Amino acid sequence: MRNLVAAFTTALLLGATAGSVPAVAAGAAHRGSCTRDLLFCEDFERLPPGGPSTLNWGVDTRNGTLAVERARRGNQVLHVHTLDNGRAFLRVDDFAAPGNRFYGRMRLRVDAFPTAPDWAHFTLVEATGTGSPEVVRPIGGQYAPTVPGIFWGVGADGGPTGDWTNWRESAPVTEDTWQCFEWLLDPADNRVTVWIDGTANPELTASTTEHGGNDVPFILPAVNTVKIGWQLYQGGTTPGEFDLWIDDIALSTKRLGC
């Protein structure tokens, strides 16, 4: 990671994973929001509680679990639980966006972010595909002990630009609070753009020549897989396990808003 080199719902669980379901998830206006015009959508309302039971998306886990749970207000959410540097992702395969340009949206609550080890790096959204080896991470972040603080940042790995997370002090994380995250991947100038609670942060971007990696062009792949969940890349974490809840996931040719 570039910054590492340079100095990143009910209260009872229905599943077997740790943590408690948040009291408030997505608002009623967004329940049942999946429509046919979206490239992908999951609001978890039609799924039974417990482990994922659907053909619409896959699961990618290591030392982690996914469970559908009912929140206190009646809507259902996805509980993501991992141990140490584990991972647990909802995986959208065989994805194709017209012109390789698409928006994403999810609602998110993270119980706690890592405060150890130094430069602990985490990813919540990852996009991969053909034509470029870049593993694009529009939603992720890093613990920066030099500030100190934990900050959101666009990142990538696996390609010519290297392993980087361009975290920004203008985007500190917020724990134990529902927030709405949106992102855009646009092959025009290979641009990544991020909004938090409907507001764009101009620093949470990447493009062909402006990014956080090696001094070579950043090229988006033709995306065919999108993963949404949690992965942390270093062991010996504090806390030793992580819980987050996700709702209202959508991928679209147009911005959906919060």
Side-chain angles (χ1 to χ4, degrees), residues 19-54:
S20 60
V21 180
V24 180
H30 297 282
R31 297 179 197 167
S33 58
C34 291
T35 58
R36 292 182 180 273
D37 60 328
L38 299 177
L39 300 173
F40 174 82
C41 186
E42 182 59 85
D43 58 15
F44 308 103
E45 294 304 311
R46 296 174 177 82
L47 300 183
S53 178
T54 178

Side-chain angles (χ1 to χ4, degrees), residues 113-136:
F113 290 89
T115 56
D118 288 353
W119 307 106
H121 167 214
F122 50 90
T123 295
L124 289 90
V125 177
E126 184 176 282
T128 54
T130 62
S132 170
E134 298 282 5
V135 178
V136 182

Side-chain angles (χ1 to χ4, degrees), residues 4 32 85 90 93 100 137 247:
L4 175 59
N85 62 335
L90 174 159
D93 290 308
N100 197 38
R137 298 164 175 165
D247 199 6

Side-chain angles (χ1 to χ4, degrees), residues 9-25:
T9 266
T10 55
L12 297 176
L13 294 183
L14 295 175
T17 54
S20 60
V21 180
V24 180

